[in-house]
Amino acid sequence: MKYKHLIILFLIALLGDIFGAFFKIIHLEFADSLLLITTSIQAIAILLLIVKLTSDDKTDFLNR
């Protein structure tokens, strides 16, 4: 998985998290599960990005 795919996955989960918070404010039933799922996806994307950054031999990722 490329860096851009992990970042896109994180941003999609962040967008879902924003919608989940909005749905929680207006008291919809599935808001709790939406927040749980999107927060879990964000955590997985961050962990995968950290693993990829630390295991990659190319150290010039931030200099591109």
Side-chain angles (χ1 to χ4, degrees), residues 1 16 25 38 50 59 61:
M1 191 175 273
I25 290 171
T38 55
I50 290 171
T59 58
F61 169 72

Side-chain angles (χ1 to χ4, degrees), residues 31-51:
D32 291 333
S33 58
L34 181 63
L35 283 170
L36 180 67
I37 290 168
T38 55
T39 305
S40 301
I41 292 173
Q42 284 177 347
I44 290 169
I46 288 173
L47 288 174
L48 287 174
L49 187 62
I50 290 171
V51 167

